[in-house]
């Protein structure tokens, strides 16, 4: 052990078994402590859009932030840092040491299910925002965790697929956000991805983990695995992985002890992992003198938190098109709000980024508060293909009468393990429960609040029966599909029956766990994931939802409301069926008959504004028929208020797109997410997103990365290279004039078009200014020298791009205002 290791004395107190034990989690989200050396157990929590806490479902109420693309669309490092600070406060309140975020994989193909959780398709924008977020968190002593290292841009077969890409693309594109964040913010931890990279598991990547991250970059943090991603003992321990998550079981333990005893893994390697763990512990206040958690903290629904979340959401909303219909004038008359997403606004995506918020404001509620009786609300067409868990507002606990359900857990002998009220209609079995004996059976009971025809059924693996007023009406045995426990949670098997229910009818769903033979994974192995899927654990939900009206009837009602109002606001979007972890999309088309709904309303209404409640690209075949389009993403718990502010111009929706929106399915530099023989070729090389569109690798997008109108118009009066900044990169000065009628924030973007024909155009810097109408501001953009590097594959090192080329001063590459020769 190097004598300069500050933890040498502590390591000496630990025997091999104890050290190895520390290197696998104790539970799903906590680590082992070790009193003898003053090590407290550390707690981790997922984090991109809120600090969920230690439970996957049904945990504490925590603040739900706008999703990552909304935050990123503000192109604002200051607010990214503010978000980090807010997340740190959320973490401290729950005594969490490390927040598992930010997610900084890139928007490579628009089909990626997890794009909503990632910042953008650009490595510089992503890296800079990530650095700010990390600083915000770590300034308050809470660790960040960059994830997922690396080339984890899609979800299909994510545990088994191999991302195949050139060293150039790896260095110049996919590692770059990690490199920037490591250099600028020194994140205390990083998460190794599920996938393989060029044939080697990310958890075993000698090249990425040891040579690049810990070697070249000199990073001294802790590298943990994604949950259940580690498949081996020696290759992972030797391949730079420091910590296996979750625990308590995993591939290290005794196997790693044996590997050390046999000499396969030198004990110094184990010491190095423990050293990094102790360093993290020291940084987050879990070693030696333990941190004091604040006695008071901002509640997730405190007025100041609400105000912050509302402002952050509006700042990232993007006005794509506007012929003057927005903002809605205070005296604009009546507004018809149409669409399922208006009534049930989707405020977050699916998967580990989900949290349990104190409330979520729908757009209908937000607008109602703002304009009162001038608003008419009409539900829209169905937007989901699969049944969803019952809306607790529609159910009453049979015991207490409160909204929600009553849940009972039983063991294999039929003994009651626990009963209680939950205000959702979902129960998690095996992950989050802390009963003394394993759960075998669960009942979910509720009375329905209204009479009507209802889809009644269940979601989740198990043998189900559903009874109404004591009489069985349906039963089914649901089994897990796929190869990913995440998939069976996020796209659970389901069944439903249509039944007529009287008001107050008692619905009781009973589910008994079904265990199956573990199935071999696509690579032929029966592994930890096979066992998890076969265990029958997971989320089980009651489905009880009024049968939806037919699309034609809904559209007719919407058209009628639109015809009689002064302006129609149609809210369309995606749901957690598309924007979720563990699954990818197959199309960018809006689900259901939403396109038909917009077209019909646009034809009937005097003016039509479309609000897109989705974080990632969708097709807008109706864009030419409407007066304005604004993308509001997944706006968090304050969603409806923030959208109302944006529409009414109380605050400018000042966002710029962080990803290009293709004009049609397939029209993108990278599209496919289906690996072939488990391999996914990154055929777009360094031409990711707008870089590929600009090079003509795909038909021009409908909306470019960087596009966003805000509520002003701008003249770019002058632009010049005014000198050189850090590392010799150009400094660009641009004078912009607000030619509109409102205060506005302009984001000046500078792209480099290198002289070399085979080099893609790329964002090299941006800066923003807030300017009053009629006023000008000179904006200085410091370009980033890291974008002038080219990875020389032959020499295996960085080279610098040749002289020449052009700088493009642009509002997205669809609107280039100046070209400056270099
Ligand atoms: C996700 C990670 C997450 C972890 C813990 C995994 O499935 O990929 O991003 O942090 O679960 O919830």
């Amino acid at each position: 052990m190097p004598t300069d290791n500050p933890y040498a004395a502590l390591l000496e107190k630990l025997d091999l078994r104890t050290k190895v034990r520390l290197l696998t989690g104790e539970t799903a989200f906590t680590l082992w402590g070790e009193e003898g050396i003053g090590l407290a157990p550390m707690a981790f929590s997922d984090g991109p859009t809120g600090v969920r806490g230690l439970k996957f479902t049904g945990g504490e109420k925590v603040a739900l932030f706008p999703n990552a693309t909304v935050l990123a669309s503000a192109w604002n490092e200051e607010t990214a840092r503010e978000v980090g600070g807010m997340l740190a406060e959320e973490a401290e309140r729950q005594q969490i040491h490390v927040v598992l975020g930010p997610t900084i994989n890139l928007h490579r193909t628009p089909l990626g299910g997890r794009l909503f959780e990632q910042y953008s398709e650009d490595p510089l924008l992503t890296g800079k925002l990530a650095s700010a977020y990390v600083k915000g968190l770590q300034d308050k002593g809470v660790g960040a965790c960059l994830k997922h290292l690396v080339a984890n841009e899609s979800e299909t077969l994510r545990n088994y697929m191999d991302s195949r890409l050139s060293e150039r693309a790896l260095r110049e594109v996919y590692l770059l956000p990690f490199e920037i964040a490591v250099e600028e913010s020194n994140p205390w931890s990083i998460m190794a991805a599920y996938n393989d990279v060029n044939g080697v598991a990310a958890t075993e990547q000698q090249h990425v983990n040891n040579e690049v991250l810990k070697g070249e970059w000199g990073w001294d943090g802790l590298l943990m695995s994604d949950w259940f991603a580690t498949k081996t003992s020696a290759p992972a321990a030797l391949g730079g992985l420091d910590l296996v998550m979750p625990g308590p079981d995993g591939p290290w333990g005794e196997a790693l002890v044996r590997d050390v005893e046999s000499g396969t893994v030198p004990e110094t390697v184990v010491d190095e992992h423990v050293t990094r763990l102790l360093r993290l512990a020291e940084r987050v206040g879990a070693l030696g003198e333990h941190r004091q958690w604040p006695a008071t903290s901002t509640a997730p629904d405190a007025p100041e938190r609400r105000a912050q979340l509302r402002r952050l959401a509006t700042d990232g909303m993007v006005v794509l098109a506007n012929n003057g219909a927005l903002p809605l004038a205070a005296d604009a008359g009546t507004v018809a709000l149409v669409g399922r997403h208006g009534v049930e606004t989707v405020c977050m995506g699916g998967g580990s980024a989900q949290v349990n918020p104190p409330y979520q404001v729908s757009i209908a509620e937000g607008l109602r508060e703002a304009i009162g009786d001038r608003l008419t609300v009409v539900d829209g067409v169905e937007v989901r293909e699969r049944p969803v868990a019952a809306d607790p507002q529609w159910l009453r606990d049979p015991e207490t009468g409160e909204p929600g359900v009553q849940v009972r857990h039983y063991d294999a002998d039929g003994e009651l393990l626990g009963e209680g009220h939950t205000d959702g209609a979902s129960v998690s079995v095996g992950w989050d429960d802390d009963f003394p004996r394993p759960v075998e059976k669960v009942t979910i009971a509720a009375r329905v609040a209204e009479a009507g025809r209802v889809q009644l059924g269940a979601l989740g693996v198990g043998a189900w029966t559903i009874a109404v007023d004591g009489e069985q009406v349906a039963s089914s045995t649901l089994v897990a599909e796929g190869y990913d426990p995440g998939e069976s949670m996020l796209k659970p098997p389901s069944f439903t029956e249509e039944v007529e229910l009287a008001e107050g009818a008692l619905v009781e769903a009973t589910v008994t766990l079904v265990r199956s033979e573990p199935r071999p994974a696509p690579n032929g192995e029966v592994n930890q994931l096979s066992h998890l899927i076969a265990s029958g654990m997971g989320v089980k939900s009651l489905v009880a939802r009024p049968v939806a009206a037919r699309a034609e009837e809904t559209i007719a009602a919407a058209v009628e409301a639109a015809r009689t109002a002064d302006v129609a606001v149609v809210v369309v979007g995606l749901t957690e069926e598309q924007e979720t972890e563990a699954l990818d999309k197959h199309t960018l088309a809006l689900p259901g008959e939403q396109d038909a709904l917009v077209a019909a309303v646009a034809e009937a209404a005097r003016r039509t504004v479309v609000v897109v409640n989705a974080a990632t690209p969708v097709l807008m075949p109706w864009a030419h028929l409407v007066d304005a389009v604004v993308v509001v993403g997944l706006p968090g718990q304050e969603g409806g208020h923030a959208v109302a502010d944006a529409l009414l111009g109380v605050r400018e929706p000042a966002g710029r797109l962080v990803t290009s929106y293709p004009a049609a399915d397939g029209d993108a530099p990278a599209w496919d997410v289906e690996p072939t023989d488990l391999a996914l070729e990154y055929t777009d090389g360094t031409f990711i997103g707008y870089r590929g569109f600009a090079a003509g690798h795909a038909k021009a997008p409908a909306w470019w990365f960087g596009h966003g109108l805000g509520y002003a118009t701008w003249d770019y009066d002058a632009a010049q290279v005014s000198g050189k900044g850090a590392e010799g990169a150009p400094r660009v000065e641009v004078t912009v004039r607000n030619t509109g009628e409102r205060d506005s924030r302009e984001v000046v973007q500078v792209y480099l078009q290198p002289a070399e024909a085979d080099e893609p155009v790329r964002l090299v810097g941006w800066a923003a200014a807030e300017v009053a109408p009629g006023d000008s501001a000179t904006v200085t953009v410091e370009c980033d020298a890291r974008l002038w590097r080219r990875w020389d594959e032959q020499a295996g090192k960085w080279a610098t791009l040749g002289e020449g080329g052009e700088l493009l001063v642009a509002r997205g590459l669809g609107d280039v205002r100046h070209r400056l020769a270099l």
Side-chain angles (χ1 to χ4, degrees), residues 795-811:
K797 57 178 191 185
W798 289 110
T800 308
L801 289 179
E803 298 277 300
E806 279 188 320
L807 291 179
L808 314 180
V809 180
R811 312 180 77 233

Side-chain angles (χ1 to χ4, degrees), residues 344-621:
E344 287 177 20
T345 305
V346 178
C347 295
M348 63 180 153
S352 60
Q354 268 167 275
V355 301
N356 186 14
Y359 63 90
Q360 298 178 66
V361 181
S362 71
I363 297 174
E365 289 162 339
L367 272 179
R368 170 80 64 212
E369 269 179 48
I371 65 170
D373 288 350
R374 288 201 282 125
L375 183 74
T376 321
V377 179
V378 184
D379 189 11
V381 293
E382 185 53 65
V383 293
R384 287 184 176 83
E385 281 164 7
R386 304 196 298 267
V388 283
D391 179 349
Q393 291 307 322
W394 199 74
L395 300 172
R396 298 284 175 271
D397 186 314
E399 216 120 280
T400 65
E402 285 171 78
V405 302
Q406 185 200 46
V407 179
R408 290 199 173 104
H409 293 82
Y410 298 89
D411 71 6
D413 299 327
E415 295 262 334
L416 187 65
L417 291 167
E419 68 184 318
H421 169 85
T422 144
D423 54 8
S426 300
V427 188
S428 160
V429 177
W431 298 93
D432 295 323
D433 45 40
D434 19 46
F435 298 116
R437 294 182 302 284
V439 174
E440 182 68 16
K441 193 175 87 174
V442 175
T443 61
I444 305 175
R447 290 192 184 278
V448 296
E450 266 174 50
R453 203 152 181 79
V454 172
Q455 291 276 4
L456 195 61
L459 289 167
V461 174
W464 288 90
T465 58
I466 312 269
V468 175
D469 292 330
E471 204 168 303
Q472 184 174 320
V473 294
S475 68
S476 183
T477 296
L478 302 175
V479 292
E481 287 164 20
Y483 299 105
D484 185 338
E487 185 179 338
S488 52
M489 297 250 268
L490 297 162
K491 188 186 170 191
S494 63
F495 76 100
T496 58
E497 302 267 338
E498 253 186 60
V499 294
E500 197 72 42
L501 292 183
E503 188 186 326
L506 178 67
V507 175
E508 286 169 295
T510 305
V511 57
T512 308
L513 256 58
V514 170
R515 292 177 193 82
S516 49
E517 259 315 287
R519 254 188 326 142
N523 62 3
E525 289 166 8
V526 173
N527 57 21
Q528 215 185 349
L529 297 178
S530 318
H531 285 280
L532 271 176
I533 296 170
S535 72
M537 297 186 331
V539 179
K540 329 272 170 201
S541 313
L542 169 68
V543 175
R545 215 174 153 88
V547 173
R550 288 183 310 127
E552 301 90 89
E553 288 166 25
T554 313
I555 292 177
V559 163
E560 198 38 45
R563 203 189 308 280
T564 48
D566 292 301
V567 56
V569 175
V570 191
V571 192
V572 295
L574 302 174
T575 69
E576 67 296 330
E577 288 186 1
Q578 291 85 30
E579 294 190 315
T580 182
E581 183 177 331
L583 298 167
D584 288 316
K585 290 180 267 209
H586 302 287
T587 173
L588 304 184
L590 286 170
E593 302 294 320
Q594 297 186 82
D595 288 337
L597 173 69
V598 179
V601 169
E603 204 183 321
R606 253 167 267 171
R607 276 174 303 150
T608 305
V609 171
V610 179
V611 172
V612 181
N613 178 202
T616 57
V618 297
L619 303 180
M620 305 180 198

Side-chain angles (χ1 to χ4, degrees), residues 22-109:
L22 294 179
L23 298 179
T24 295
E26 183 186 2
T27 70
F29 289 104
T30 57
L31 305 193
W32 296 98
E34 185 59 37
E35 258 182 49
I37 58 166
L39 173 67
M42 286 185 271
F44 296 174
S45 163
D46 276 308
T49 37
V51 181
R52 191 181 60 239
L54 300 181
K55 280 186 182 259
F56 204 89
T57 47
E60 264 189 54
K61 302 279 185 207
V62 303
L64 169 60
F65 288 57
N67 81 291
T69 58
V70 171
L71 297 173
S73 298
W75 291 58
N76 190 335
E77 288 166 79
E78 245 169 73
T79 49
R81 193 167 181 151
E82 179 186 357
V83 167
M86 292 161 71
L87 289 168
E89 288 167 13
E90 288 284 300
E92 286 179 308
R93 194 185 59 241
Q94 300 173 75
Q95 308 200 351
I96 298 289
H97 299 87
V98 175
V99 169
L100 304 173
T103 311
I104 58 171
N105 300 108
L106 297 177
H107 296 188
R108 176 174 171 264
T109 144

Side-chain angles (χ1 to χ4, degrees), residues 29 46 100 114 147-148 158 191 194 226-227 352 581:
F29 289 104
D46 276 308
L100 304 173
R114 228 171 155 175
K147 62 191 192 182
H148 311 83
R158 62 179 178 164
M191 191 186 291
Y194 282 124
D226 199 343
W227 269 230
S352 60
E581 183 177 331

